[in-house]
Every structure is written in C-alpha cells, then in structure tokens.
Amino acid sequence: MELKSLQDIGEAMVTPGRGILAADESTPTCAKRFESIGVESTEENRNAYRDMLLTAPGMEEYISGVIMFDETLRQSTLHGNVPFPEHLSSKGVVPGIKVDMGAKVLANSPDEKITDGLDGLRERLIEYYDMGARFAKWRAVITIGEHIPTHYCIATNAHALARYAALCQEQGIVPIVEPEILMDGTHTIEESYDLTIETLHTVFYELASQGVQLDGMVLKPNMVLSGYECETQASVEQVASMTVDCFMNTVPAAVPGIAFLSGGQSDELATAHLNAMNQIDGKPWNLTFSYGRALQAPALSAWGGSAENVPVAQEAFMKRAKFNSLASKGEFSADME
Ligand code: 13P
C-alpha cells in the first residue's frame, strides 16, 4: 500500500505492536560496533550486516520502519540485488534516512554539542524522497554535567530541529524529532525529569513557531532515567510513571506517537521500561520503540561477521523485536526473557 500523507506515514510508524529499527549508525560508529566483535568495517561487511537485519524473515510483523544511513539507502540485498528502500517498501516497512551530519562542538560552550546538517538539506531530502525514503531522523544531543546543559544549547538545538522538521514536511517526509538527553553521569531521575521537561517545552515552542504540523511528525526522546552512575537507580515503575508524566506535561496530543531511543540501557531494561509505560492508561499518543543498540546488540555478537551465522543472528534480532513489539502493547512479561 502506498502511504501518501504525512499523517498516514506517521501513524504507520507508531502503530501498536510495531516499532522502528534504528540501523543508521554512521560509518565511524559502525566501525566502533564492528571493532567490538573483531570485524573490519568495510563497505562489503556493512552491507552484509544490514542485509542480515533487513532480510530477517518476518521482521515486518514487529518492525514498522527502518532508519538507514546514506550508504545503506544506496545498497541492495545480497540475494536478488534489490535496493534496500524497495525491499523494505515491498514488505510494508517504511524506509527512513538519517539526515543530520552529526553533533559538533557548540561555539562558546565547548562542553556542549550542536547538530550540523541544515546546509543543502532541502536538496538532499528531494533526492532521498526519490530514492524511496518517507521519513527522516535528526538527533540533537544534550549533555548533563557541571553547569550544563545551558539554555543556549537547548534553544539552538531546538531551533535546528524545527528547521529540519519544516524542511522534511515540505518534501512529504515525516520528521523524527530526536532531542536526546544523555543519561551518562551521576544525576538523579528528578534532574532528568526537569531537564527533559525544559527541553521538550523548548522543542515544541520552536516546532510551533516554525509551523511544523504536529500530526505529521514522530517524537524520539530519551526516557526519564537515573543517571547511569547515580548511586540510587529508580525502579522500572518509577521510570515509567515519571516518563509518562513528563510527556503528559509537554507533548501535545496531536503528535501520533513517541518512539523511544534506548540510549545505552540494557536490552532487557529498554523492553521492561517500554512495557511498563504501556500499562499506564490514558495516554493520547502511541508509545513504541526506535531502538538501535537495544535491538541489535545480541544479533551483532551472534553474527560476528560470518555468513554462516546469519540465521542465528536473525533469530536473536527477531527475539528482541518480538519482545519490544509486545512491550509496545503492554503485553510483555519479564519471564519471557
Ligand atoms: P539507541 O537506541 O542505541 O540509543 O539508538 C537510537 C538512535 O537512533 C540514536 O540516534
């Protein structure tokens, strides 16, 4: 089925029971991931790895969309040589593309980051649409530390996110708006909550100021967590209730869905948190996953760079995809692990 309007595409991306696979690691990030399993990061190996994920039999049952890196959008399946965007569309999975050019040092605040990539973005979006992409991703990074984040960092990143989102919608592409507050550090869950509130208020102010249609976008935020080095770690229930409460206070009901990043949580916790949030009633938007590491980690190690391991790696990927699919409906239980 050809999805035409921004609203149709956005709804399809966040339907309960399905979520997004973030497989858009840039070439340097992919090299880091491959190094962890002792595999050289060549174009051929990256193609083989993405092929393993994107051709996993039945993945379309749990996966609504895949975010790809520019290189992957131009690559093809190993068997049949079908361009990946065409392969995904034929399975009813929406092809997506990461369009930001990475987080760079923020001028006048050297410990903070600003995301690059607005120059030439309109022209790139036109090309990506022609290649079959129907949604895009732009990630802004907010770091918690001594005296940071500054409001300057939050505001400049929010402004850039809104400029990107407006350009996407102009080209018929659904923007995934991703303001990520990093959870590295000793901060408490209350600090995560306050900063996520401030960030989302600022992001939605900018989106409104720049005329972005809220029913034609998807939000990809961090969950509200205790800093990974914080001595007291919040329980799964506390994370779920504070995260939902945070969004109830900041995210307009017109947004069709919130698709979380995993942000370095373990695979199991990322699933448990999503499930617990979906057991809370009364939310106006769908809550699902847009995980990178939490969907891929077991598959990456099982694959280990060898064609022989593809079936076991696909099985490992499908297991996480299925658990997260259940969690997107609040139907997962920890004893399934
Ligand atoms: P993680 O789920 O590994 O955080 O990655 C999601 C993502 O797309 C980050 O931009």
Side-chain angles (χ1 to χ4, degrees):
M1 184 188 55
E2 170 81 17
L3 296 166
K4 290 229 163 67
S5 71
L6 293 172
Q7 290 76 6
D8 288 348
I9 301 165
E11 284 290 343
M13 289 161 65
V14 296
T15 316
R18 293 170 96 209
I20 299 163
L21 166 66
D24 60 327
E25 296 81 7
S26 63
T27 305
T29 305
C30 203
K32 261 194 259 166
R33 303 271 190 273
F34 279 15
E35 200 183 297
S36 73
I37 52 162
V39 171
E40 200 191 339
S41 180
T42 59
E43 188 187 338
E44 200 183 342
N45 285 342
R46 292 191 294 273
N47 197 346
Y49 176 66
R50 265 66 185 251
D51 183 81
M52 179 276 292
L53 295 170
L54 305 194
T55 65
M59 59 86 91
E60 62 274 20
E61 194 179 339
Y62 311 124
I63 303 294
S64 57
V66 177
I67 319 174
M68 289 172 277
F69 188 58
D70 180 277
E71 177 185 84
T72 317
L73 199 75
R74 300 171 196 280
Q75 289 175 332
S76 299
T77 58
L78 297 186
H79 304 286
N81 202 29
V82 183
F84 282 131
E86 192 180 322
H87 163 75
L88 291 172
S89 299
S90 74
K91 287 168 160 272
V93 176
V94 188
I97 175 77
K98 168 196 174 79
V99 299
D100 69 67
M101 307 288 268
K104 308 286 162 59
V105 173
L106 178 64
N108 291 327
S109 188
D111 295 330
E112 299 191 284
K113 296 271 167 46
I114 179 75
T115 303
D116 260 0
L118 289 169
D119 290 350
L121 181 57
R122 176 179 277 132
E123 291 69 28
R124 287 195 290 132
L125 289 168
I126 293 169
E127 187 193 5
Y128 289 145
Y129 187 95
D130 281 347
M131 294 176 75
R134 290 295 176 270
F135 74 91
K137 176 188 114 169
W138 178 289
R139 172 174 177 255
V141 181
I142 312 290
T143 312
I144 305 181
E146 217 175 315
H147 309 303
I148 58 171
T150 59
H151 190 71
Y152 158 51
C153 174
I154 294 173
T156 44
N157 272 294
H159 189 264
L161 274 167
R163 284 195 61 196
Y164 139 83
L167 281 164
C168 285
Q169 291 187 337
E170 178 191 85
Q171 299 307 328
I173 290 181
V174 169
I176 291 190
V177 172
E178 180 178 3
E180 175 175 9
I181 300 176
L182 297 178
M183 289 298 148
D184 304 288
T186 55
H187 57 273
T188 62
I189 190 166
E190 287 77 16
E191 287 171 80
S192 297
Y193 177 92
D194 290 346
L195 286 167
T196 308
I197 292 258
E198 179 185 349
T199 300
L200 291 175
H201 273 317
T202 312
V203 166
F204 280 100
Y205 169 79
E206 284 295 346
L207 292 170
S209 307
Q210 298 187 41
V212 174
Q213 296 173 47
L214 299 184
D215 60 356
M217 62 161 274
V218 169
L219 180 69
K220 175 163 174 167
N222 52 282
M223 295 181 193
V224 174
L225 305 175
S226 314
Y228 295 141
E229 284 83 48
C230 178
E231 271 177 29
T232 329
Q233 290 291 312
S235 66
V236 169
E237 290 67 31
Q238 195 182 357
V239 166
S241 76
M242 286 182 75
T243 303
V244 170
D245 183 82
C246 175
F247 295 130
M248 290 297 269
N249 279 286
T250 49
V251 182
V255 173
I258 298 177
F260 290 98
L261 57 94
S262 59
Q265 301 176 62
S266 70
D267 315 336
E268 290 82 3
L269 267 180
T271 304
H273 286 148
L274 179 64
N275 189 60
M277 285 189 265
N278 276 309
Q279 290 178 338
I280 299 172
D281 292 330
K283 306 174 301 299
W285 358 255
N286 294 318
L287 295 187
T288 190
F289 56 91
S290 175
Y291 295 161
R293 285 162 286 182
L295 271 175
Q296 294 183 50
L300 178 70
S301 2
W303 174 65
S306 154
E308 267 168 38
N309 298 335
V310 165
V312 274
Q314 289 179 328
E315 210 174 295
F317 166 53
M318 290 294 282
K319 178 174 158 194
R320 293 294 355 139
K322 181 177 179 187
F323 287 171
N324 286 307
S325 154
L326 289 167
S328 76
K329 298 183 284 186
E331 293 171 3
F332 170 78
S333 121
D335 52 25
M336 296 172 182
E337 286 283 1

